[in-house]
Amino acid sequence: TYDLTVGNGGAYSLSDDVTDPGTQAFSWVNFIGLNQVQDEFRTQIDITYDLENDFFQDVEFGVKYRRVSQDRIQTTTATSFNQVFANFGEQNGSSLWALSLADLNPVSVADNFLGVGFEEGIGNFQIPGPNGISDFFGEGNEAGSVFEGTNTVRQDDYFDIKEDVWAGYGQVNFNGEIGGIGVRGNVGTRITHLKRTSNANTIRDGVAEPFSQVDTQTDVLPSFNVAFDVSEELVLRFSAARALARPTFRQLSPTLSVIEETRTGTAGNP
């Protein structure tokens, strides 16, 4: 912990030499295991039909099906630190609290670390090196790691969401002249139908209960594009369309966590 109090003239001072890893002692260690899998399948058929017309060139239409699912589960050692502490002592013959940054093969941060708001930043600030972390704590939460047997599932960071999307679309392409002015473009529409199944947990005062919800949504997305070749040097264009962007699965996660004592809660929006 460093005192970054700003003094007269905007100057700041540090209570210790932040470039010396020997002055920085161990404070906390944690392991977060995240297993997130996304599967996607899609198929579509597109057809073009020639209209054999001087103005309306052809019609393009098709159908598409897409299924995408994502499940996420996270584990953490935050509630099992005493076991981590015991595992470390057994494996290394010393206490975690005796560990300093100098023991962790420290490396320097980027030159502009904390550069925003500071005149020169702290370019030589030291952080634990990956090799040092592996040497003392092991790899992940597998056998031989200090996190072995300590992970607990975070019920508030689990979801399993599946989307089935059907789409049909068509477009007419035109290219010709009106009143001696070249006109080209297209007009069309896309109709999509979505079925989404969301599974997660409702958490009330730390107790998790399964939650499931099914939603459907149908959207019509028309579009129109036209270009007028007014002259060889001037093209007048006009476009209008309705577009749709779907939220990420993390934003859709319906996990609800309620703390009755403080009357607070958080939730995604399926």
Side-chain angles (χ1 to χ4, degrees):
T1 302
Y2 296 96
D3 181 3
L4 295 176
T5 301
V6 177
N8 293 332
Y12 68 92
S13 61
L14 298 177
S15 55
D16 288 291
D17 181 6
V18 298
T19 65
D20 180 6
T23 65
Q24 302 179 50
F26 168 81
S27 174
W28 176 258
V29 63
N30 190 27
F31 175 79
I32 296 176
L34 176 62
N35 183 15
Q36 181 169 288
V37 178
Q38 179 166 315
D39 293 313
E40 183 170 333
F41 169 81
R42 66 173 66 195
T43 183
Q44 68 185 82
I45 298 174
D46 294 312
I47 297 174
T48 301
Y49 180 72
D50 190 353
L51 295 176
E52 299 181 356
N53 183 281
D54 292 338
F55 186 78
F56 294 103
Q57 302 293 305
D58 52 50
V59 177
E60 297 177 296
F61 56 93
V63 292
K64 182 177 182 179
Y65 169 74
R66 175 174 177 262
R67 166 177 281 192
V68 59
S69 63
Q70 185 178 107
D71 62 87
R72 171 188 173 102
I73 187 169
Q74 180 173 312
T75 57
T76 180
T77 61
T79 59
S80 312
F81 186 71
N82 288 339
Q83 184 62 48
V84 174
F85 187 88
N87 289 348
F88 183 89
E90 182 178 335
Q91 295 178 17
N92 296 281
S94 61
S95 170
L96 265 174
W97 305 117
L99 204 61
S100 75
L101 182 59
D103 298 316
L104 298 175
N105 297 336
V107 296
S108 297
V109 298
D111 292 338
N112 62 349
F113 181 67
L114 292 183
V116 178
F118 291 87
E119 183 178 354
E120 299 177 356
I122 307 177
N124 294 322
F125 193 82
Q126 303 290 294
I127 59 175
N131 293 336
I133 295 174
S134 298
D135 291 343
F136 277 96
F137 303 115
E139 297 286 348
N141 62 337
E142 305 298 327
S145 164
V146 298
F147 303 108
E148 180 182 0
T150 65
N151 277 15
T152 56
V153 175
R154 282 191 55 177
Q155 300 291 350
D156 62 337
D157 207 1
Y158 153 77
F159 63 79
D160 184 356
I161 300 175
K162 180 181 69 175
E163 290 183 341
D164 291 285
V165 183
W166 295 265
Y169 41 90
Q171 174 177 295
V172 178
N173 300 307
F174 54 88
N175 190 346
E177 289 188 0
I178 297 179
I181 297 177
V183 180
R184 49 194 164 82
N186 55 69
V187 58
T189 190
R190 172 186 292 261
I191 301 175
T192 66
H193 178 75
L194 165 73
K195 178 182 179 182
R196 178 187 296 121
T197 304
S198 305
N199 296 293
N201 289 315
T202 298
I203 302 175
R204 188 181 300 276
D205 286 342
V207 178
E209 297 180 359
F211 170 91
S212 183
Q213 179 169 312
V214 177
D215 299 284
T216 59
Q217 178 180 339
T218 300
D219 294 279
V220 179
L221 309 172
S223 66
F224 174 66
N225 301 277
V226 63
F228 298 95
D229 296 317
V230 179
S231 68
E232 293 184 359
E233 292 81 21
L234 179 62
V235 177
L236 180 63
R237 301 178 184 273
F238 176 81
S239 296
R242 183 170 185 257
L244 173 68
R246 301 194 187 281
T248 65
F249 284 106
R250 192 66 187 272
Q251 293 170 316
L252 289 168
S253 174
T255 298
L256 170 65
S257 181
V258 176
I259 303 175
E260 294 182 344
E261 292 181 356
T262 58
R263 296 184 180 182
T264 59
T266 58
N269 184 2

